[in-house]
């Protein structure tokens, strides 16, 4: 009978250990589910941020093209302006040459 009591105690001890292990496994499983949900949320946020980044890069490229267009137009405008100034200088120079020629002829 003592042996039966000893075996019953061992069985009870083993059942307690098994119960604690199952409780630990249950906690681990809950933690795994929670982590899996968090990973899903993080992946969603990552995709949103990646999309926003791609949009921003597109906007930056578009702004770069617009800036280049404005720079080109400004350069053309400056050339036209410089052409106008050049024509004025040429006209003044021509008048000076004509006046000189008139003075030389006199």
């Amino acid at each position: 009978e003592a042996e039966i009591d000893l075996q019953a105690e061992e069985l009870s001890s083993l059942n307690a250990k098994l119960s604690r292990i199952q409780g630990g496994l249950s906690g681990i499983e809950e933690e795994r589910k929670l982590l899996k949900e968090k990973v899903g949320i993080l992946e969603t946020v990552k995709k949103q941020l990646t999309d926003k980044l791609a949009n921003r890069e597109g906007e930056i490229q578009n702004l770069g093209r617009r800036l280049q267009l404005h720079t080109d137009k400004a350069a053309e405008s400056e050339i036209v302006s410089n052409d106008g100034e050049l024509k004025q200088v040429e006209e003044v120079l021509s008048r000076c040459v004509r006046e000189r020629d008139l003075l030389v002829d006199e």
Side-chain angles (χ1 to χ4, degrees):
E1 193 169 299
E3 193 173 316
I4 291 176
D5 288 341
L6 186 60
Q7 286 178 352
E9 275 184 45
E10 279 185 38
L11 186 57
S12 178
S13 175
L14 289 173
N15 277 335
K17 284 181 184 179
L18 180 60
S19 180
R20 286 192 303 272
I21 290 171
Q22 287 174 334
L25 288 175
S26 177
I28 290 170
E29 182 61 26
E30 286 298 315
E31 185 72 21
R32 188 185 72 77
K33 285 180 185 177
L34 184 63
L35 289 173
K36 196 171 185 181
E37 288 174 13
K38 288 181 180 181
V39 165
I41 291 169
L42 289 173
E43 285 175 349
T44 300
V45 169
K46 178 184 174 186
K47 183 177 180 342
Q48 291 171 346
L49 291 174
T50 301
D51 291 347
K52 281 184 180 181
L53 178 61
N55 288 338
R56 293 283 188 233
E57 287 173 346
E59 290 173 9
I60 289 169
Q61 289 174 351
N62 189 19
L63 288 173
R65 285 190 292 271
R66 288 175 54 196
L67 176 62
Q68 186 61 48
L69 182 69
H70 287 297
T71 302
D72 292 347
K73 283 184 179 180
E76 286 176 19
S77 174
E78 188 175 322
I79 289 169
V80 168
S81 174
N82 287 343
D83 282 348
E85 291 171 4
L86 183 61
K87 286 179 184 178
Q88 288 177 354
V89 169
E90 287 173 346
E91 289 172 8
V92 169
L93 186 60
S94 291
R95 263 185 286 155
C96 290
V97 167
R98 280 194 305 269
E99 287 175 10
R100 185 198 67 187
D101 290 345
L102 287 175
L103 289 173
V104 168
D105 286 344
E106 290 180 0

